[in-house]
Amino acid sequence: MVSNFHLPPAGFGPGSQPDPADGEDLTYMDMPTGMNTYSPSIPDIDDPATLAPALAILDHVADAAERVSRSGVPESFDLTGLDPANLHLVAEVLREGEVSMKIRGLPALRVQEGVFAGIWRIRGTGEDRIEVGPVPAIAIRRAFEPLRPRLDPEPGQGVVNAPPIWSELADKSAGFDGTLHVVNLTLLPHTESDLAWLDAKMGEGSADILSRGYGNCRIRATALAHVWRVQFYNSQDQLILDTFEVTDMPEVVLAAPEDLSDSAKRLRDVLGAVR
């Protein structure tokens, strides 16, 4: 006769878990940290009159952000005529936001998004300006200039799945019509030799971008037109998504129209408090 009584599953019930009194501490997985959020910062200045040139430019920048949110057409403002005190105020107001770029080659440029999304400071030899737009135009224009030229190596030992990936990316690059195309390496079987072969075939472009949000996104242009390597890391710097994107600029870098409109309002609020 079969009994109606069943033993409880192992690991449940009294005595199945360690007693806290025994001094054993539970170990928890580290939770994600480091999410960047906007927080206003009001520069403390003694005499706004001496900083009128910087304040005037920043007023124009706020107005431009509102216009660009509707038109999508970037606007630029030269800072090279400002003295050190006025430049310092610009830096204090804009601060550093999520996205930074290096445009390598000649001339080399450093690009930093402010805490106001879509407001970018671009600096290099003889150049210092603010550009308002989804992304600085020069980052798209110069992205695929070869910093390291493309090679044509023969597939060697261990190169298994790279050739069809290359064929797909080369085809999408040659026929690029503005439509985003993504190859997700995280979901595709591949070897280290595959990655090294693809790296040699694609070369290296001039744009190197870091987007800091919930973790980091590292973005590098290849020397193959419209092809980017986009890698997402969690807050513990572990690679969680590895892709190639065929596009003008990966979406994670772009400021949306609503971001620009919001930046216009926030910047005006800060300038009002400064005065």
Side-chain angles (χ1 to χ4, degrees):
M1 181 170 117
V2 178
S3 170
N4 289 327
F5 177 77
H6 298 277
L7 290 173
F12 293 86
S16 62
Q17 303 300 319
D19 188 340
D22 293 339
E24 295 185 18
D25 295 328
L26 294 176
T27 301
Y28 297 94
M29 180 183 294
D30 291 335
M31 297 301 290
T33 58
M35 179 65 178
N36 289 336
T37 57
Y38 170 77
S39 59
S41 177
I42 310 301
D44 185 15
I45 60 178
D46 296 326
D47 184 7
T50 62
L51 300 173
L55 292 171
I57 287 176
L58 291 170
D59 280 332
H60 293 316
V61 168
D63 293 340
E66 190 63 50
R67 290 193 296 271
V68 176
S69 71
R70 297 189 296 267
S71 69
V73 179
E75 298 188 29
S76 186
F77 301 88
D78 185 23
L79 301 177
T80 55
L82 296 183
D83 61 32
N86 278 272
L87 286 172
H88 181 70
L89 178 62
V90 169
E92 273 199 290
V93 170
L94 296 185
R95 295 183 289 148
E96 292 192 357
E98 289 189 357
V99 181
S100 56
M101 306 182 185
K102 292 179 181 177
I103 310 297
R104 297 168 293 180
L106 295 174
L109 298 172
R110 181 177 182 271
V111 181
Q112 178 63 55
E113 187 179 32
V115 293
F116 309 99
I119 297 178
W120 310 82
R121 186 156 178 200
I122 302 170
R123 285 178 285 180
T125 302
E127 183 168 5
D128 190 355
R129 61 188 174 89
I130 293 171
E131 185 167 326
V132 181
V135 69
I138 197 166
I140 297 176
R141 188 166 65 248
R142 288 186 50 193
F144 308 103
E145 294 176 357
L147 187 71
R148 174 166 51 83
R150 293 165 47 198
L151 303 176
D152 191 21
E154 290 294 326
Q157 185 175 6
V159 177
V160 181
N161 289 320
I165 293 173
W166 160 256
S167 295
E168 179 178 349
L169 291 170
D171 179 68
K172 293 296 183 181
S173 169
F176 182 68
D177 60 0
T179 303
L180 171 67
H181 182 78
V182 178
V183 173
N184 189 341
L185 294 176
T186 307
L187 299 179
L188 292 174
H190 59 273
T191 66
E192 289 299 320
S193 298
D194 282 327
L195 295 180
W197 187 83
L198 284 170
D199 185 62
K201 287 284 283 186
M202 293 188 185
E204 187 176 0
S206 294
D208 197 348
I209 305 172
L210 175 64
S211 177
R212 299 176 296 271
Y214 195 69
N216 291 327
C217 181
R218 298 169 190 171
I219 303 150
R220 290 179 291 115
T222 71
L224 181 63
H226 309 295
V227 179
W228 301 81
R229 181 78 176 274
V230 182
Q231 297 174 300
F232 290 87
Y233 294 78
N234 65 14
S235 57
Q236 298 170 36
D237 210 33
Q238 296 174 318
L239 181 63
I240 57 175
L241 182 62
D242 192 0
T243 67
F244 284 108
E245 291 191 14
V246 184
T247 184
D248 280 327
M249 179 64 65
E251 188 175 2
V252 69
V253 180
L254 302 174
E258 55 269 26
D259 293 329
L260 283 156
S261 181
D262 191 51
S263 291
K265 179 181 182 302
R266 287 175 171 176
L267 181 52
R268 288 184 184 121
D269 289 343
V270 170
L271 293 175
V274 167
R275 289 187 170 97

